[in-house]
């Protein structure tokens, strides 16, 4: 049995104030009922683990001012992603079989594109397909066609990145940091979640504003920041259950030829660099933003804070079976020098969006 190192994590820097939807407990309860209705688990142990993940609480922190129906859908989408990830990606057989995984994912994508045809009852993944169809139909009732298309595109990139990650596992590839930054923008389904933000609050961010280079940079920075924060917080959970070296700390350790314990500070410095950029770019975008874009930037901040609030307290990362010890306080300032750009080709253009 592989020994997983106990990591000493310093408090995270996050200058964004927390907020929470008053229906958080209801979202959790309803999502757990939805999980049981579709049977998105293999045994009772997995069901109990998923029911303690707090998908409803995460949705409540992410969209504190969302409508009840759309925020509930966000919560259920989160649960589907957690369940699918555990059953078939990170810890499941498909996560080590990119060919079969791609065949499963194309069927799921077809549900998004055309939810009208009936599902095959003989599919071994019928429960996940049926739950996915339910999400797609409900989303179609609250989202505009533009929003639904953006969400589908984000899901397509998430699925594509899962095949990429599965190929890395099979070939025992630990990517370099630049490659991993590109992968991590998509493989945590963060963009899938971000594309729910205006849907949850009942408005549509105009495409011309979402596609501005500075707004695209801010959106991607949100995704990578949350992904790297999750990498650090979930390290013990991932490696106790199925370590695959697709993690920021593993990537840094592999490149440096050092133990993971010695790379935590570097990982925290990298995430602080993204956090500092996020803060500066958010303020800049707000100076020339429509009311809808103002709300979107605020929601991105909610996601960053929500991810940390949830991640430092959820059983998924605390991993009660073999506990991780996560920080319970917040750093008052970023690490010294973290106002410098991250020198990676995949993301260096983000800093170029900052005005002099």
């Amino acid at each position: 049995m592989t020994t997983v190192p106990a990591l000493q994590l310093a408090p995270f820097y996050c200058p964004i104030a927390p907020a929470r939807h008053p229906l958080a407990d209801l979202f959790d309860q309803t999502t757990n009922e939805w999980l049981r209705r579709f049977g998105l688990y293999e045994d009772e142990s997995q069901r109990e683990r998923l029911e303690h993940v707090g998908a409803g609480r995460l949705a409540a922190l992410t969209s504190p001012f969302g409508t009840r129906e759309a925020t509930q859908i966000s919560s259920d989408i989160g649960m589907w992603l957690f369940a699918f990830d555990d059953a078939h990606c990170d810890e499941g057989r498909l996560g080590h079989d990119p060919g079969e995984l791609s065949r499963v994912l194309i069927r799921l994508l077809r549900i998004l594109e055309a939810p009208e045809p009936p599902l095959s009852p003989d599919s071994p993944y019928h429960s996940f397909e049926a739950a996915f169809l339910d999400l797609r139909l409900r989303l179609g009732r609250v989202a505009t066609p533009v929003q639904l298309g953006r969400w589908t595109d984000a899901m397509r990139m998430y699925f594509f990145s899962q095949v990429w990650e599965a190929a890395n596992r099979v070939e025992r590839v630990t990517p370099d940091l630049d490659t991993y930054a590109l992968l991590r923008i998509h493989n945590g389904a963060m963009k899938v979640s971000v594309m729910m933000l205006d849907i949850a609050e009942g408005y549509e961010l105009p495409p011309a504003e979402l596609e501005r280079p500075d707004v695209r940079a801010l959106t991607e920075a949100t995704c990578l920041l949350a992904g790297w924060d999750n990498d650090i917080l979930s390290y013990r959970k991932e490696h106790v259950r199925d370590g695959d070296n697709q993690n920021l700390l593993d990537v840094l350790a592999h490149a440096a030829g050092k133990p993971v314990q010695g790379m935590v500070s570097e990982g925290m410095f990298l995430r602080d660099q993204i956090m500092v950029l996020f803060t500066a770019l958010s303020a800049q975008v707000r100076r020339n933003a429509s009311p809808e874009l103002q709300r979107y930037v605020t929601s991105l901040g909610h996601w960053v804070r929500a991810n940390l609030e949830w991640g430092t307290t959820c059983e998924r990362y605390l991993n009660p079976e073999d506990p991780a010890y996560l920080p319970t306080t917040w750093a008052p300032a970023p690490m010294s020098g973290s106002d410098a750009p991250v020198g990676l080709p995949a993301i260096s253009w983000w800093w170029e969006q900052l005005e002099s």
Side-chain angles (χ1 to χ4, degrees):
M1 181 177 179
T2 303
T3 300
V4 181
L7 303 181
Q8 299 297 316
L9 300 183
F12 286 74
Y13 168 66
C14 183
I16 303 161
R20 179 184 171 110
H21 199 291
L23 298 179
D25 292 341
L26 177 63
F27 294 147
D28 251 338
Q29 176 186 339
T30 305
T31 289
N32 287 344
E33 292 169 355
W34 183 84
L35 169 77
R36 292 192 291 271
R37 177 155 62 93
F38 285 98
L40 304 180
Y41 47 86
E42 294 182 353
D43 53 41
E44 288 303 296
S45 175
Q46 186 182 38
R47 178 187 63 77
E48 290 180 7
R49 188 163 65 242
L50 287 168
E51 287 187 359
H52 285 87
V53 80
R57 184 165 66 91
L58 178 58
L61 292 167
T62 300
S63 298
F65 308 111
T67 67
R68 177 173 174 174
E69 182 180 7
T71 307
Q72 185 64 63
I73 295 172
S74 292
S75 177
D76 294 350
I77 289 171
M79 180 59 81
W80 189 95
L81 290 165
F82 287 132
F84 188 77
D85 187 65
D86 286 358
H88 300 304
C89 294
D90 279 2
E91 301 171 23
R93 179 182 61 82
L94 293 180
H96 296 80
D97 188 344
E100 179 61 16
L101 178 60
S102 67
R103 288 186 281 272
V104 171
L105 296 182
I106 198 67
R107 289 171 60 91
L108 290 168
L109 280 175
R110 186 57 180 160
I111 290 171
L112 296 186
E113 296 169 344
E116 294 82 5
L119 301 177
S120 169
D122 299 326
S123 169
Y125 308 100
H126 179 76
S127 60
F128 281 92
E129 291 171 359
F132 205 55
L133 176 60
D134 175 75
L135 294 173
R136 167 60 179 82
L137 294 173
R138 290 162 60 200
L139 196 57
R141 294 196 292 268
V142 298
T144 68
V146 168
Q147 291 172 321
L148 192 57
R150 293 197 294 227
W151 187 80
T152 298
D153 286 344
M155 186 64 78
R156 183 176 290 110
M157 284 303 298
Y158 165 68
F159 283 164
F160 181 79
S161 70
Q162 294 308 302
V163 177
W164 182 2
E165 208 171 12
N168 283 350
R169 292 190 192 98
V170 171
E171 298 170 11
R172 299 184 181 278
V173 170
T174 300
D176 61 76
L177 184 59
D178 184 61
T179 302
Y180 185 65
L182 176 58
L183 175 63
R184 199 67 175 112
I185 291 170
H186 298 287
N187 73 342
M190 265 302 305
K191 201 165 187 183
V192 172
S193 302
V194 165
M195 291 301 107
M196 283 295 300
L197 291 175
D198 60 343
I199 298 173
E201 291 201 9
Y203 71 96
E204 181 187 296
L205 179 63
E209 292 193 294
L210 183 62
E211 294 304 320
R212 280 172 37 178
D214 55 351
V215 179
R216 286 193 293 111
L218 189 60
T219 300
E220 287 194 357
T222 303
C223 296
L224 186 59
L225 177 58
W228 280 357
D229 283 348
N230 284 349
D231 280 351
I232 296 168
L233 292 169
S234 70
Y235 185 85
R236 189 164 187 82
K237 171 260 179 188
E238 289 186 8
H239 281 261
V240 165
R241 293 179 42 191
D242 187 45
D244 58 10
N245 296 327
Q246 307 299 302
N247 180 289
L248 173 63
L249 298 181
D250 289 316
V251 167
L252 293 173
H254 179 78
K258 297 179 179 179
V260 166
Q261 297 96 314
M263 308 312 298
V264 174
S265 180
E266 183 173 342
M268 293 292 283
F269 182 77
L270 282 167
R271 65 83 50 197
D272 272 13
Q273 288 178 281
I274 307 295
M275 183 78 253
V276 170
L277 169 75
F278 178 89
T279 304
L281 199 51
S282 293
Q284 176 181 303
V285 169
R286 286 182 186 280
R287 290 197 292 269
N288 184 28
S290 67
E292 292 83 6
L293 184 53
Q294 291 276 3
R295 295 176 71 178
Y296 178 71
V297 174
T298 297
S299 292
L300 291 179
H302 285 150
W303 232 115
V304 171
R305 178 69 185 216
N307 184 61
L308 284 171
E309 290 275 342
W310 172 82
T312 53
T313 57
C314 70
E315 284 195 15
R316 184 174 180 84
Y317 295 162
L318 288 171
N319 201 56
E321 311 95 66
D322 193 344
Y325 299 96
L326 304 181
T328 57
T329 58
W330 303 92
M335 296 173 71
S336 177
S338 56
D339 55 343
V342 175
L344 298 175
I347 62 173
S348 60
W349 68 275
W350 297 348
W351 282 263
E352 295 171 7
Q353 306 312 308
L354 290 172
E355 297 171 353
S356 301

